[in-house]
Amino acid sequence: MTRHDPVEALASLRHEFGEHGGVNMSIEASSTFTVVDPATMPDIFAGRKSPESGGCYLYGRHFNPTVYHLGRQLAALEGTEAAYCSASGMGAISAVIFALCNAGDHVVASHTIYGGTWALLNDFMPAKTGVRTSFVDTTNLAAVKNAITDRTRLLYVESMSNPTLRVADIPALAAIAHEAGIPLVVDNTFSPLVLSPARLGADIVVHSLTKFIGGASDLIGGAVCASGEFIGSLMDLHTGPLMILGPTLDPSVAASVALRLPHLALRMAAHGERALALAERTEILGVTVAYPGLPGHPDRALLERLRHPDFGYGGLLTIDAGTEQKAMALMNTLQNDHQFGYVAVSLGYFDTLMSCSASSTSSEMPEEALLNAEISPGLVRMAIGYSGSLEQRWVQLETALRATGLAPMR
Ligand SMILES: *Cc1c(COP(=O)(O)O)cnc(C)c1O
């Protein structure tokens, strides 16, 4: 396996200047494009002529140059041949599932995934398409193997699971998928740069750009990174889910995201450094904290083997407050008495965002599924921001942990 350096790959990309030589690319604000030679129109429609091969752009839902360029940046970041963007992470994920499955097919997915993805696979797909999913503990490789049938069309995991922060053994899962002749799809939303799933064996990488990549909780977007052939299939005029279902990313949003990729590395390192320090200090107080960078985390050794060394262990940690009531009390005092962060779903923001997973981002899952996934009712997910100083944030967190009885009073 050649070592992939996402930061170097991004910086090596041909620079996209603005139309008038601007250092930043132009926002292509057209939904339709002039075909200078009308005789080429049939070839362009048939996909025989692309903008690179004597054709031109056609229509904004198909390809937009600004969105296309962001796709090239994300492909460089993930080390895939191609990528394209969508209006949301769910738009990207559902496009991939629709592209790979026909009516009656089967999916094997991790039992700890984002609530929206869980609902897509558990509720939406069976009802609308007859595509069924077996949810398994993907840290149990034998269980994954056993769940694959001759109708299985893909294996789906999150690089770091939401909210339990278990790390997927991507090389081992890829081997199982490839032995069965199916692609491994990895949602890398929680760990851009930290993990490069495609370089570890994954075939398709999906992202919610809304989170770390966006970095300011001001936009919604998604991306699919994969082979040129697969990305092309998403745009097929007859069966391409991005083309037909139309979750098109707005070019002005794409341009905005493109301006944040150059400092993603700085931000991921800052999130990781702060999260590790807070996790270590919280653990010393005797509080139940999970963070993949802590020596006691079940996947610490695996992550150490798979991760890029420069970006830490990710920006998320969880604190188990025991009960939902205690979780609410902790979040309440952290937000309203100490300004430690905000009670809000999502992640990747510069300030800390906190939510109680079982009753928010994983609330799509019934009690039994929550139990299987080990999402306890008092689990507080913290997406650690890098604003303020470590000492300032630690005083806020420590005081709140003691005040709510999660740590002993001094
Ligand atoms: C937020 C999220 C999604 C969905 O992304 P949207 O941009 O909100 O559609 C998918 N997967 C994970 C892991 C997420 O955190």
Side-chain angles (χ1 to χ4, degrees):
M1 211 174 295
T2 51
R3 192 171 164 281
H4 168 64
D5 193 294
V7 172
E8 290 175 5
L10 189 62
S12 306
L13 207 59
R14 176 178 56 78
H15 192 77
E16 187 77 14
F17 291 97
E19 196 185 350
H20 305 287
V23 290
N24 294 318
M25 72 171 158
S26 303
I27 299 173
E28 180 52 78
S30 298
S31 59
T32 192
F33 299 85
T34 311
V35 180
V36 177
D37 176 2
T40 58
M41 184 81 110
D43 274 346
I44 296 168
F45 254 92
R48 289 188 291 268
K49 281 206 163 110
S50 69
E52 282 95 13
S53 62
C56 65
Y57 287 95
L58 191 60
Y59 182 61
R61 175 156 44 77
H62 188 226
F63 280 113
N64 169 288
T66 311
V67 181
Y68 191 72
H69 181 67
L70 175 62
R72 290 178 59 232
Q73 290 183 304
L74 292 167
L77 202 77
E78 287 296 355
T80 57
E81 194 183 358
Y84 204 64
C85 304
S86 54
S88 68
M90 285 310 297
I93 292 164
S94 51
V96 168
I97 308 286
F98 272 112
L100 295 173
C101 295
N102 290 326
D105 282 340
H106 178 246
V107 176
V108 174
S110 164
H111 67 3
T112 41
I113 50 174
Y114 176 70
T117 312
W118 196 87
L120 172 73
L121 292 171
N122 188 68
D123 305 319
F124 185 97
M125 294 303 285
K128 308 290 183 188
T129 68
V131 170
R132 303 204 164 268
T133 296
S134 299
F135 295 95
V136 298
D137 175 359
T138 45
T139 63
N140 179 346
L141 299 176
V144 174
K145 242 185 219 175
N146 285 337
I148 296 175
T149 72
D150 56 1
R151 289 304 298 268
T152 307
R153 294 293 175 260
L154 68 132
L155 174 56
Y156 187 97
V157 299
E158 292 177 358
S159 51
M160 248 178 228
S161 68
N162 177 27
T164 53
L165 309 178
R166 294 302 305 264
V167 179
D169 188 344
I170 297 169
L173 292 166
I176 291 171
H178 296 160
E179 198 181 314
I182 57 171
L184 172 64
V185 181
V186 178
D187 180 338
N188 199 28
T189 300
F190 272 34
S191 48
L193 296 174
V194 177
L195 290 168
S196 295
R199 291 307 171 112
L200 296 169
D203 303 278
I204 299 165
V205 180
V206 291
H207 272 288
S208 166
L209 303 177
T210 315
K211 314 295 170 55
F212 285 110
I213 292 178
S217 294
D218 62 333
L219 55 83
I220 305 255
V224 182
C225 309
S227 68
E229 189 188 352
F230 183 74
I231 299 301
S233 79
L234 300 177
M235 295 305 173
D236 186 274
L237 295 187
H238 301 276
T239 57
L242 285 183
M243 187 63 188
I244 301 292
L245 301 178
T248 311
L249 183 65
D250 187 291
S252 57
V253 175
S256 179
V257 173
L259 292 180
R260 301 156 194 226
L261 289 178
H263 50 67
L264 178 64
L266 303 176
R267 293 186 280 115
M268 289 312 293
H271 282 292
E273 195 181 330
R274 184 65 62 86
L276 177 63
L278 292 178
E280 284 172 342
R281 293 179 186 202
T282 301
E283 189 173 49
I284 292 170
L285 291 187
V287 176
T288 311
V289 54
Y291 181 66
L294 290 176
H297 189 278
D299 300 325
R300 160 76 190 247
L302 172 67
L303 182 56
E304 206 60 90
R305 183 157 59 79
L306 302 186
R307 78 185 180 108
H308 192 294
D310 296 349
F311 306 109
Y313 303 88
L316 282 103
L317 59 84
T318 62
I319 288 176
D320 196 340
T323 64
E324 187 180 348
Q325 197 187 359
K326 279 196 170 171
M328 297 301 171
L330 176 65
M331 293 192 297
N332 186 42
T333 185
L334 280 171
Q335 172 178 260
N336 297 321
D337 301 331
H338 299 289
Q339 290 180 290
F340 174 77
Y342 306 107
V343 180
V345 296
S346 203
L347 48 131
Y349 191 49
F350 43 79
D351 285 330
T352 295
L353 302 181
M354 306 173 280
S355 56
C356 184
S357 297
S359 46
S360 61
T361 48
S362 297
S363 63
E364 291 89 343
M365 298 165 73
E367 207 164 317
E368 195 195 323
L370 289 170
L371 220 63
N372 276 338
E374 293 174 41
I375 303 172
S376 66
L379 196 74
V380 177
R381 184 184 82 181
M382 294 189 179
I384 301 297
Y386 46 78
S387 64
S389 72
L390 171 61
E391 293 314 319
Q392 172 191 27
R393 295 306 181 199
W394 173 243
V395 168
Q396 295 169 340
L397 180 57
E398 183 185 16
T399 311
L401 287 169
R402 292 193 198 279
T404 49
L406 291 174
M409 282 313 269
R410 236 197 275 269

